[in-house]
Amino acid sequence: MHRASSWLACLILPAALGAAASPSQGGPSTACQQAVYLTFDTGHMGVAPLIAEVLKRHQVRVTFFAANERTQVGDGSLGEHWAGWWRERALEGHEFASHTLDHAYWRADLPGSPTQFQIRPSAGAQQGRDRVMNAAQYCQQIDAAARRLQEITGQPALPLFRAPGGKTSPALLRAALSCGYAHVGWSPAGFLGDELPSERYSNALLLEQALRKIRAGDILVAHLGIWSRRDPWAPTVLEPLLVGLKERGFCFATLKEHPAYQAHIARGRRPSGLANPPPASASQ
């Protein structure tokens, strides 16, 4: 689950990449002077078709971070059942990036080793089990989702990733960057709250907070379906959020246009050496 405090990685990253997030370094076109960057992580995909309809209706392009998570229908969010959905999004001009193939949560750095981590996948054959991964194995997790996205859409994934839950360590970020992937968190106001319990955080409350707090340059995060929320956030909040932000003078851009990541994306990435990425498979 995401936590709003994970925005810190988003603020640290530009310095780590040597790219300051300032208007002078480029970004969206001059027609989009107050850009915000809407991103979606995968989930059970139950609301994915409705989200796609809203985005298309309002001509909003977003960045999707994809893992092969368990879905309400089909063989996982990166399985064959949903392949057509991803292809349609590519044709509409959206961008894609890795969320690790098995939605693999960082749990801890192993003592005495700067390149070994305790990881718990929430999907795939090792779902729910802690395992040790070295830097190369974690890079394989990132690579596998990125390559599956390219296989489905015919479009290279961005050299970016989002760790599940936004959970990272400096060592994990260095490992990912060494194989070409920069991490993307989210802004404080960009945590849209779709994972929070609807009994305490109603859709009306989440919408009001987002419209009041979001500022230009913010990276926003929501999901393509949350199992635990009884009153789904999307598309109930999504459409009025898009309308309300546009009325306030904001526009929407993908992370490919974000000034903090443009230099990194332009450099491209060197594949981490994954010769035979594991096939996408639904969690058990």
Side-chain angles (χ1 to χ4, degrees):
M1 177 176 287
H2 290 162
R3 292 292 184 268
S5 60
S6 297
W7 63 272
L8 183 58
C10 182
L11 298 182
I12 293 174
L13 180 64
L17 296 180
S22 66
S24 63
Q25 301 222 353
S29 66
T30 54
C32 188
Q33 291 297 314
Q34 292 198 88
V36 292
Y37 303 85
L38 179 57
T39 70
F40 284 93
D41 295 352
T42 40
H44 62 55
M45 301 295 285
V47 295
L50 297 173
I51 287 173
E53 289 176 11
V54 172
L55 296 177
K56 187 174 183 179
R57 183 158 56 248
H58 293 278
Q59 298 184 320
V60 167
R61 293 181 303 119
V62 306
T63 305
F64 292 100
F65 287 89
N68 192 46
E69 298 188 65
R70 181 169 62 96
T71 51
Q72 289 181 341
V73 176
D75 52 345
S77 49
L78 289 177
E80 285 304 314
H81 178 88
W82 289 99
W85 188 89
W86 292 109
R87 282 191 287 270
E88 290 174 4
R89 306 292 76 76
L91 291 173
E92 292 166 357
H94 300 287
E95 296 290 343
F96 309 96
S98 176
H99 198 32
T100 71
L101 184 69
D102 293 331
H103 203 246
Y105 281 89
W106 173 86
R107 303 273 289 171
D109 297 341
L110 291 191
S113 173
T115 59
Q116 287 194 311
F117 315 101
Q118 184 182 33
I119 303 291
R120 180 180 295 179
S122 67
Q126 300 296 316
Q127 174 187 350
R129 303 174 189 172
D130 284 350
R131 56 172 299 193
V132 174
M133 286 188 186
N134 60 29
Q137 290 169 322
Y138 191 77
C139 282
Q140 287 176 356
Q141 273 286 321
I142 304 174
D143 262 342
R147 295 190 184 198
R148 176 58 178 164
L149 283 164
Q150 181 168 351
E151 175 186 330
I152 293 172
T153 66
Q155 172 178 317
L158 297 175
L160 308 174
F161 87 106
R162 175 172 288 151
K167 297 180 182 299
T168 66
S169 70
L172 189 80
L173 296 181
R174 287 194 296 271
L177 199 56
S178 74
C179 59
Y181 292 96
H183 186 256
V184 180
W186 51 87
S187 306
F191 178 73
L192 297 176
D194 63 340
E195 291 178 295
L196 299 173
S198 52
E199 296 80 5
R200 294 177 55 195
Y201 300 91
S202 69
N203 283 335
L205 174 63
L206 294 177
L207 175 61
E208 184 275 329
Q209 288 181 341
L211 290 174
R212 175 166 46 87
K213 294 181 178 180
I214 288 172
R215 298 291 182 266
D218 281 351
I219 296 175
L220 320 180
V221 59
H223 299 78
L224 299 176
I226 292 294
W227 293 95
S228 60
R229 188 171 173 86
R230 293 184 181 179
D231 186 12
W233 179 91
T236 304
V237 177
L238 178 60
E239 189 146 32
L241 177 64
L242 300 184
V243 171
L245 289 176
K246 285 185 176 183
E247 289 176 346
R248 290 179 55 196
F250 294 110
C251 47
F252 294 86
T254 71
L255 290 174
K256 188 175 183 178
E257 302 164 282
H258 195 296
Y261 302 103
Q262 283 183 322
H264 176 76
I265 291 170
R267 286 193 296 268
R269 70 176 179 87
R270 178 172 50 83
S272 63
L274 181 61
N276 294 297
S281 59
S283 55
Q284 304 297 316

